[in-house]
Amino acid sequence: MTKGIEVEHLMKSFGTTLVLDDVSLSVEAGEFLTIVGASGCGKSTLLRILAGLESADAGAIACDGKPIEGPSVERAMVFQDYSLFPWLSVMGNVMFSRRLSANAYDNLALERGAEEERASKLLSIVGLSKVKSAYPSQLSGGMRQRVAIARALMSKPAVLLMDEPFGALDAQTREVMQDLVLEVVREEGTTIVFVTHDVEEAIYLGSRVVLMAPHPGRIDFIYEVPFPRQRDIAMRLSAPFLDLKRRIMNRVRETVTTSFDSETQVSQGLGA
């Protein structure tokens, strides 16, 4: 069952550095929300708080109305580095979360046969059925990330959190992976929060694009993506798509310039 997320007045500091400043955000159940912004805007920190891997200093976060107080099998995360176990096969990596969260899976009454069936289905969705017995060292970067996505989905999470998952891939593989994630959404109906530096990727994947400004991290604007859920290459080249991309990229530059000017004024004041 898909679930939504509510973030209210979130604050987070590391030492004396304010990283997130009064962040409020709603993610609807089943939505594909993308987050963009310059380095230092707190995108990854926000995602880690949603995953329960970091705690906030103030504010409230909830999934399906329940406070997020730590990691949960309901919220899976995919990182930029694949984090696969080199001694396990593709199938072994996908099914590892079964052993990691045995009690949660027992509550779902999943027997091993059903688990193997689900793992096989996920490998089919991500196009890796023929290499399920291979090991990570035998796979390309894109294939390893497919394994990581299948593993994250194994627990049937209500929410999938993705932190720059395609950042290390070449342009062609990246586009293939984007279409793959959209296929996963159609198959699984999972709520997805996706962090990226790539504005085009954010528009192509998301139903909304959240732009965060840096120093401190805060939400600058939320853009509605006015395209049908069925995405294709032609859409990327359309005038409305390119116009939205231009507007977001221009605004990203403005947030960086504003942040830089503010820091310069502070440093000049300290030196006066």
Side-chain angles (χ1 to χ4, degrees):
M1 186 174 110
T2 57
K3 298 181 179 179
I5 296 175
E6 292 290 333
V7 179
E8 297 180 354
H9 306 296
L10 203 66
M11 307 286 289
K12 177 66 179 179
S13 296
F14 291 116
T16 59
T17 303
L18 181 61
V19 179
L20 293 174
D21 183 19
D22 195 25
V23 172
S24 295
L25 180 67
S26 294
V27 185
E28 297 179 6
E31 181 176 10
F32 198 132
L33 185 83
T34 55
I35 303 176
V36 297
S39 297
C41 70
K43 303 184 298 295
S44 294
T45 299
L46 174 59
L47 208 65
R48 289 178 64 84
I49 292 174
L50 296 181
L53 301 176
E54 295 276 359
S55 59
D57 297 329
I61 50 172
C63 180
D64 196 33
K66 300 176 183 178
I68 295 176
E69 299 175 337
S72 168
V73 294
E74 291 187 336
R75 287 169 278 110
M77 192 157 178
V78 177
F79 300 91
Q80 182 173 338
D81 57 347
Y82 321 117
S83 301
L84 301 180
F85 299 106
W87 60 88
L88 292 178
S89 66
V90 168
M91 177 66 86
N93 267 283
V94 173
M95 292 191 64
F96 181 80
S97 56
R98 165 64 179 93
R99 284 180 277 167
L100 192 64
S101 309
N103 291 336
Y105 281 100
D106 289 343
N107 291 336
L108 293 174
L110 287 178
E111 299 178 354
R112 183 169 182 82
E115 293 158 8
E116 291 180 347
E117 182 179 347
R118 173 157 178 78
S120 294
K121 175 189 175 184
L122 290 171
L123 289 175
S124 176
I125 292 174
V126 301
L128 294 177
S129 296
K130 294 182 179 180
V131 296
K132 65 181 181 181
S133 299
Y135 288 84
S137 62
Q138 299 172 293
L139 306 178
S140 67
M143 294 170 78
R144 292 177 193 175
Q145 195 59 289
R146 294 186 195 192
V147 178
I149 292 171
R151 183 175 62 183
L153 291 169
M154 182 65 188
S155 62
K156 293 186 178 180
V159 177
L160 184 61
L161 306 167
M162 309 186 79
D163 189 9
E164 288 279 354
F166 310 144
L169 304 178
D170 63 80
Q172 291 74 26
T173 303
R174 189 169 187 144
E175 289 186 3
V176 171
M177 293 298 293
Q178 291 166 2
D179 288 333
L180 168 68
V181 169
L182 291 176
E183 178 63 24
V184 167
V185 171
R186 285 190 288 269
E187 288 279 342
E188 297 284 309
T190 311
T191 302
I192 296 182
V193 182
F194 188 105
V195 163
T196 178
H197 278 95
D198 189 322
V199 171
E200 181 173 316
E201 179 172 72
I203 298 171
Y204 186 71
L205 294 174
S207 55
R208 292 185 297 158
V209 177
V210 177
L211 172 59
M212 294 186 67
H215 309 304
R218 60 202 183 278
I219 293 178
D220 181 79
F221 198 79
I222 299 178
Y223 298 84
E224 297 287 337
V225 178
F227 306 117
R229 289 307 307 155
Q230 191 71 31
R231 308 289 166 91
D232 55 32
I233 293 177
M235 188 191 77
R236 292 179 188 265
L237 302 175
S238 67
F241 187 98
L242 294 174
D243 178 64
L244 180 57
K245 178 181 176 181
R246 176 187 54 79
R247 288 193 288 123
I248 296 177
M249 291 184 70
N250 286 343
R251 184 56 193 163
V252 170
R253 294 190 190 97
E254 290 172 2
T255 64
V256 173
T257 301
T258 301
S259 173
F260 179 78
D261 289 344
S262 298
E263 289 183 352
T264 300
Q265 291 172 5
V266 170
S267 63
Q268 289 175 344
L270 290 174

